[in-house]
Amino acid sequence: EELAERAAPSDEVLIYFAGNGASGLAPISSASGASVDSASLSGGGVAPITTTRAVFLATDSRSEAPWASGLTLEDLGAALGGIRARRVLLVLDVGFGSPEEGGRTFALGDEALGATLEPNAMAKALGLGQGRAALFAGRPSQTALALPGPQAGLLTYAFDLGVRGSADLNADGRVDLNELSAYVQREVRGRAGLEGFEQDP
């Protein structure tokens, strides 16, 4: 909301998020389309339909009510729609796949069973298009590796090295998005493989 007020059409915006994510079968009210939690439903109401959705979990998100206390991809996509900047880059060091030790995916329990995001679900929910790009930590089915040494996610580690110059593949003194993306993909895949993970940004 603050960026929507401040950013001018000539601006470029970078939004970076590192943390935990989760995906699962999220109840959705068929009347309004608003997300609700199973715990908030009481007798007499219309049973909600469910769909597989992804959610970012913040430090004050509640595990018993992730959809009401977290930030869904659709929430973020709606917020991005209000930003008038000519270019917006999202860097999302968060996993939505299966929870694994050493990863950044939070287990939601039974509601996540059998729930798998479609391959293009993340980009579609964010409404990516002209002037909007996102660098995801991995595929929807993958978790995002958290490195024990640097205390950072693997995507963050590779992104930081890349923007500091390691991704300048043509040595022209500039790092463009194509160079950065190629560098991050190569570095993350390689390091994740050494740790026994599959992670494809």
Side-chain angles (χ1 to χ4, degrees), residues 103-134:
R104 292 187 159 204
T105 304
F106 184 83
L108 292 182
D110 292 343
E111 63 186 275
L113 295 177
T116 304
L117 289 168
E118 295 295 325
N120 64 345
M122 297 190 295
K124 183 178 178 182
L126 292 173
L128 299 182
Q130 184 67 34
R132 301 288 190 267

mmCIF file of all heavy atoms in Angstrom, residues 103-134:
data_model
loop_
_atom_site.group_PDB
_atom_site.id
_atom_site.type_symbol
_atom_site.label_atom_id
_atom_site.label_comp_id
_atom_site.label_asym_id
_atom_site.label_seq_id
_atom_site.Cartn_x
_atom_site.Cartn_y
_atom_site.Cartn_z
ATOM 1 N N GLY A 103 14.691 -26.891 4.870
ATOM 2 C CA GLY A 103 13.988 -26.120 3.862
ATOM 3 C C GLY A 103 13.112 -25.042 4.462
ATOM 4 O O GLY A 103 12.963 -24.932 5.672
ATOM 5 N N ARG A 104 12.514 -24.235 3.590
ATOM 6 C CA ARG A 104 11.696 -23.102 4.004
ATOM 7 C C ARG A 104 10.221 -23.315 3.708
ATOM 8 O O ARG A 104 9.503 -22.384 3.373
ATOM 9 C CB ARG A 104 12.182 -21.838 3.307
ATOM 10 C CG ARG A 104 13.549 -21.419 3.774
ATOM 11 C CD ARG A 104 13.955 -20.088 3.218
ATOM 12 N NE ARG A 104 15.006 -19.535 4.059
ATOM 13 C CZ ARG A 104 15.285 -18.255 4.158
ATOM 14 N NH1 ARG A 104 14.590 -17.387 3.466
ATOM 15 N NH2 ARG A 104 16.240 -17.831 4.940
ATOM 16 N N THR A 105 9.765 -24.557 3.823
ATOM 17 C CA THR A 105 8.347 -24.863 3.652
ATOM 18 C C THR A 105 7.785 -25.342 4.977
ATOM 19 O O THR A 105 8.346 -26.225 5.619
ATOM 20 C CB THR A 105 8.128 -25.945 2.590
ATOM 21 O OG1 THR A 105 8.733 -25.527 1.360
ATOM 22 C CG2 THR A 105 6.647 -26.181 2.350
ATOM 23 N N PHE A 106 6.680 -24.744 5.381
ATOM 24 C CA PHE A 106 6.041 -25.086 6.649
ATOM 25 C C PHE A 106 4.962 -26.140 6.396
ATOM 26 O O PHE A 106 4.197 -26.044 5.438
ATOM 27 C CB PHE A 106 5.415 -23.832 7.265
ATOM 28 C CG PHE A 106 4.814 -24.058 8.623
ATOM 29 C CD1 PHE A 106 5.604 -24.043 9.757
ATOM 30 C CD2 PHE A 106 3.454 -24.278 8.762
ATOM 31 C CE1 PHE A 106 5.056 -24.247 11.010
ATOM 32 C CE2 PHE A 106 2.893 -24.481 10.009
ATOM 33 C CZ PHE A 106 3.700 -24.468 11.135
ATOM 34 N N ALA A 107 4.922 -27.154 7.250
ATOM 35 C CA ALA A 107 3.920 -28.215 7.097
ATOM 36 C C ALA A 107 2.589 -27.758 7.683
ATOM 37 O O ALA A 107 2.503 -27.404 8.850
ATOM 38 C CB ALA A 107 4.397 -29.479 7.801
ATOM 39 N N LEU A 108 1.537 -27.796 6.870
ATOM 40 C CA LEU A 108 0.203 -27.401 7.333
ATOM 41 C C LEU A 108 -0.584 -28.562 7.902
ATOM 42 O O LEU A 108 -1.645 -28.365 8.459
ATOM 43 C CB LEU A 108 -0.590 -26.770 6.185
ATOM 44 C CG LEU A 108 -0.101 -25.419 5.671
ATOM 45 C CD1 LEU A 108 -1.030 -24.924 4.570
ATOM 46 C CD2 LEU A 108 -0.033 -24.401 6.798
ATOM 47 N N GLY A 109 -0.113 -29.785 7.748
ATOM 48 C CA GLY A 109 -0.840 -30.936 8.272
ATOM 49 C C GLY A 109 -1.709 -31.579 7.215
ATOM 50 O O GLY A 109 -1.416 -31.548 6.026
ATOM 51 N N ASP A 110 -2.846 -32.152 7.657
ATOM 52 C CA ASP A 110 -3.685 -32.940 6.765
ATOM 53 C C ASP A 110 -4.211 -32.154 5.567
ATOM 54 O O ASP A 110 -4.436 -32.715 4.503
ATOM 55 C CB ASP A 110 -4.876 -33.529 7.531
ATOM 56 C CG ASP A 110 -4.435 -34.583 8.530
ATOM 57 O OD1 ASP A 110 -3.294 -35.068 8.399
ATOM 58 O OD2 ASP A 110 -5.228 -34.904 9.436
ATOM 59 N N GLU A 111 -4.411 -30.840 5.755
ATOM 60 C CA GLU A 111 -4.998 -30.074 4.661
ATOM 61 C C GLU A 111 -4.055 -29.926 3.473
ATOM 62 O O GLU A 111 -4.463 -29.548 2.381
ATOM 63 C CB GLU A 111 -5.414 -28.677 5.145
ATOM 64 C CG GLU A 111 -4.256 -27.809 5.615
ATOM 65 C CD GLU A 111 -4.743 -26.515 6.215
ATOM 66 O OE1 GLU A 111 -4.975 -25.568 5.454
ATOM 67 O OE2 GLU A 111 -4.898 -26.449 7.433
ATOM 68 N N ALA A 112 -2.763 -30.244 3.684
ATOM 69 C CA ALA A 112 -1.804 -30.157 2.587
ATOM 70 C C ALA A 112 -1.690 -31.470 1.820
ATOM 71 O O ALA A 112 -1.084 -31.508 0.761
ATOM 72 C CB ALA A 112 -0.433 -29.762 3.122
ATOM 73 N N LEU A 113 -2.268 -32.543 2.353
ATOM 74 C CA LEU A 113 -2.139 -33.843 1.712
ATOM 75 C C LEU A 113 -2.785 -33.834 0.334
ATOM 76 O O LEU A 113 -3.933 -33.431 0.170
ATOM 77 C CB LEU A 113 -2.775 -34.928 2.581
ATOM 78 C CG LEU A 113 -2.108 -35.177 3.937
ATOM 79 C CD1 LEU A 113 -2.878 -36.226 4.715
ATOM 80 C CD2 LEU A 113 -0.659 -35.594 3.761
ATOM 81 N N GLY A 114 -2.032 -34.271 -0.650
ATOM 82 C CA GLY A 114 -2.558 -34.353 -2.004
ATOM 83 C C GLY A 114 -2.698 -33.018 -2.697
ATOM 84 O O GLY A 114 -3.209 -32.947 -3.802
ATOM 85 N N ALA A 115 -2.250 -31.944 -2.057
ATOM 86 C CA ALA A 115 -2.381 -30.614 -2.645
ATOM 87 C C ALA A 115 -1.070 -30.219 -3.309
ATOM 88 O O ALA A 115 -0.055 -30.106 -2.652
ATOM 89 C CB ALA A 115 -2.748 -29.601 -1.567
ATOM 90 N N THR A 116 -1.112 -30.049 -4.597
ATOM 91 C CA THR A 116 0.081 -29.655 -5.339
ATOM 92 C C THR A 116 -0.261 -28.476 -6.232
ATOM 93 O O THR A 116 -1.236 -28.514 -6.979
ATOM 94 C CB THR A 116 0.601 -30.824 -6.212
ATOM 95 O OG1 THR A 116 0.836 -31.952 -5.377
ATOM 96 C CG2 THR A 116 1.883 -30.431 -6.906
ATOM 97 N N LEU A 117 0.553 -27.448 -6.158
ATOM 98 C CA LEU A 117 0.343 -26.282 -7.001
ATOM 99 C C LEU A 117 0.661 -26.622 -8.450
ATOM 100 O O LEU A 117 1.579 -27.375 -8.741
ATOM 101 C CB LEU A 117 1.242 -25.130 -6.555
ATOM 102 C CG LEU A 117 0.898 -24.449 -5.233
ATOM 103 C CD1 LEU A 117 2.041 -23.539 -4.815
ATOM 104 C CD2 LEU A 117 -0.385 -23.648 -5.364
ATOM 105 N N GLU A 118 -0.107 -26.051 -9.354
ATOM 106 C CA GLU A 118 0.188 -26.210 -10.773
ATOM 107 C C GLU A 118 1.493 -25.493 -11.101
ATOM 108 O O GLU A 118 1.858 -24.524 -10.431
ATOM 109 C CB GLU A 118 -0.958 -25.621 -11.617
ATOM 110 C CG GLU A 118 -2.283 -26.340 -11.461
ATOM 111 C CD GLU A 118 -2.229 -27.758 -11.983
ATOM 112 O OE1 GLU A 118 -1.527 -27.997 -12.992
ATOM 113 O OE2 GLU A 118 -2.865 -28.637 -11.372
ATOM 114 N N PRO A 119 2.231 -25.946 -12.129
ATOM 115 C CA PRO A 119 3.534 -25.344 -12.450
ATOM 116 C C PRO A 119 3.510 -23.833 -12.645
ATOM 117 O O PRO A 119 4.438 -23.143 -12.270
ATOM 118 C CB PRO A 119 3.931 -26.062 -13.746
ATOM 119 C CG PRO A 119 3.253 -27.381 -13.667
ATOM 120 C CD PRO A 119 1.938 -27.108 -12.975
ATOM 121 N N ASN A 120 2.444 -23.301 -13.252
ATOM 122 C CA ASN A 120 2.390 -21.858 -13.497
ATOM 123 C C ASN A 120 1.515 -21.123 -12.485
ATOM 124 O O ASN A 120 1.176 -19.962 -12.685
ATOM 125 C CB ASN A 120 1.873 -21.584 -14.913
ATOM 126 C CG ASN A 120 0.437 -22.056 -15.110
ATOM 127 O OD1 ASN A 120 -0.092 -22.820 -14.296
ATOM 128 N ND2 ASN A 120 -0.196 -21.599 -16.177
ATOM 129 N N ALA A 121 1.158 -21.802 -11.396
ATOM 130 C CA ALA A 121 0.221 -21.209 -10.432
ATOM 131 C C ALA A 121 0.778 -19.951 -9.777
ATOM 132 O O ALA A 121 0.053 -18.992 -9.543
ATOM 133 C CB ALA A 121 -0.146 -22.236 -9.362
ATOM 134 N N MET A 122 2.080 -19.950 -9.461
ATOM 135 C CA MET A 122 2.650 -18.801 -8.754
ATOM 136 C C MET A 122 2.638 -17.557 -9.628
ATOM 137 O O MET A 122 2.225 -16.482 -9.192
ATOM 138 C CB MET A 122 4.056 -19.142 -8.262
ATOM 139 C CG MET A 122 4.062 -20.288 -7.256
ATOM 140 S SD MET A 122 5.644 -20.566 -6.404
ATOM 141 C CE MET A 122 6.704 -21.068 -7.736
ATOM 142 N N ALA A 123 3.095 -17.692 -10.860
ATOM 143 C CA ALA A 123 3.117 -16.543 -11.764
ATOM 144 C C ALA A 123 1.699 -16.056 -12.064
ATOM 145 O O ALA A 123 1.439 -14.848 -12.128
ATOM 146 C CB ALA A 123 3.838 -16.900 -13.059
ATOM 147 N N LYS A 124 0.768 -16.991 -12.230
ATOM 148 C CA LYS A 124 -0.620 -16.625 -12.534
ATOM 149 C C LYS A 124 -1.257 -15.870 -11.371
ATOM 150 O O LYS A 124 -1.927 -14.857 -11.563
ATOM 151 C CB LYS A 124 -1.424 -17.884 -12.847
ATOM 152 C CG LYS A 124 -2.859 -17.613 -13.254
ATOM 153 C CD LYS A 124 -3.575 -18.903 -13.604
ATOM 154 C CE LYS A 124 -5.026 -18.642 -13.973
ATOM 155 N NZ LYS A 124 -5.759 -19.893 -14.274
ATOM 156 N N ALA A 125 -1.036 -16.350 -10.143
ATOM 157 C CA ALA A 125 -1.627 -15.693 -8.967
ATOM 158 C C ALA A 125 -1.094 -14.284 -8.782
ATOM 159 O O ALA A 125 -1.799 -13.399 -8.296
ATOM 160 C CB ALA A 125 -1.355 -16.523 -7.717
ATOM 161 N N LEU A 126 0.155 -14.056 -9.185
ATOM 162 C CA LEU A 126 0.765 -12.734 -9.019
ATOM 163 C C LEU A 126 0.422 -11.797 -10.169
ATOM 164 O O LEU A 126 0.721 -10.605 -10.096
ATOM 165 C CB LEU A 126 2.282 -12.866 -8.902
ATOM 166 C CG LEU A 126 2.794 -13.549 -7.635
ATOM 167 C CD1 LEU A 126 4.299 -13.758 -7.719
ATOM 168 C CD2 LEU A 126 2.440 -12.735 -6.392
ATOM 169 N N GLY A 127 -0.185 -12.308 -11.212
ATOM 170 C CA GLY A 127 -0.543 -11.460 -12.340
ATOM 171 C C GLY A 127 0.667 -10.900 -13.058
ATOM 172 O O GLY A 127 0.676 -9.747 -13.491
ATOM 173 N N LEU A 128 1.708 -11.718 -13.219
ATOM 174 C CA LEU A 128 2.923 -11.243 -13.876
ATOM 175 C C LEU A 128 2.645 -10.971 -15.346
ATOM 176 O O LEU A 128 1.884 -11.664 -15.991
ATOM 177 C CB LEU A 128 4.046 -12.272 -13.733
ATOM 178 C CG LEU A 128 4.477 -12.601 -12.303
ATOM 179 C CD1 LEU A 128 5.627 -13.605 -12.324
ATOM 180 C CD2 LEU A 128 4.896 -11.342 -11.556
ATOM 181 N N GLY A 129 3.285 -9.933 -15.863
ATOM 182 C CA GLY A 129 3.104 -9.546 -17.254
ATOM 183 C C GLY A 129 4.096 -8.468 -17.603
ATOM 184 O O GLY A 129 5.187 -8.405 -17.035
ATOM 185 N N GLN A 130 3.722 -7.598 -18.512
ATOM 186 C CA GLN A 130 4.607 -6.527 -18.963
ATOM 187 C C GLN A 130 5.140 -5.710 -17.791
ATOM 188 O O GLN A 130 4.365 -5.172 -16.995
ATOM 189 C CB GLN A 130 3.851 -5.604 -19.926
ATOM 190 C CG GLN A 130 4.701 -4.504 -20.531
ATOM 191 C CD GLN A 130 5.758 -5.042 -21.474
ATOM 192 O OE1 GLN A 130 5.535 -6.036 -22.156
ATOM 193 N NE2 GLN A 130 6.906 -4.403 -21.505
ATOM 194 N N GLY A 131 6.448 -5.644 -17.648
ATOM 195 C CA GLY A 131 7.057 -4.848 -16.589
ATOM 196 C C GLY A 131 7.034 -5.494 -15.220
ATOM 197 O O GLY A 131 7.425 -4.880 -14.231
ATOM 198 N N ARG A 132 6.567 -6.740 -15.131
ATOM 199 C CA ARG A 132 6.497 -7.447 -13.845
ATOM 200 C C ARG A 132 7.230 -8.773 -13.969
ATOM 201 O O ARG A 132 6.918 -9.580 -14.852
ATOM 202 C CB ARG A 132 5.044 -7.732 -13.439
ATOM 203 C CG ARG A 132 4.158 -6.498 -13.298
ATOM 204 C CD ARG A 132 4.537 -5.716 -12.049
ATOM 205 N NE ARG A 132 3.597 -4.673 -11.713
ATOM 206 C CZ ARG A 132 3.709 -3.421 -12.096
ATOM 207 N NH1 ARG A 132 4.705 -3.060 -12.889
ATOM 208 N NH2 ARG A 132 2.840 -2.513 -11.701
ATOM 209 N N ALA A 133 8.210 -9.004 -13.116
ATOM 210 C CA ALA A 133 8.964 -10.255 -13.143
ATOM 211 C C ALA A 133 9.154 -10.752 -11.721
ATOM 212 O O ALA A 133 9.160 -9.967 -10.766
ATOM 213 C CB ALA A 133 10.321 -10.051 -13.817
ATOM 214 N N ALA A 134 9.293 -12.067 -11.597
ATOM 215 C CA ALA A 134 9.520 -12.660 -10.280
ATOM 216 C C ALA A 134 10.603 -13.714 -10.384
ATOM 217 O O ALA A 134 10.670 -14.452 -11.370
ATOM 218 C CB ALA A 134 8.236 -13.278 -9.734
#
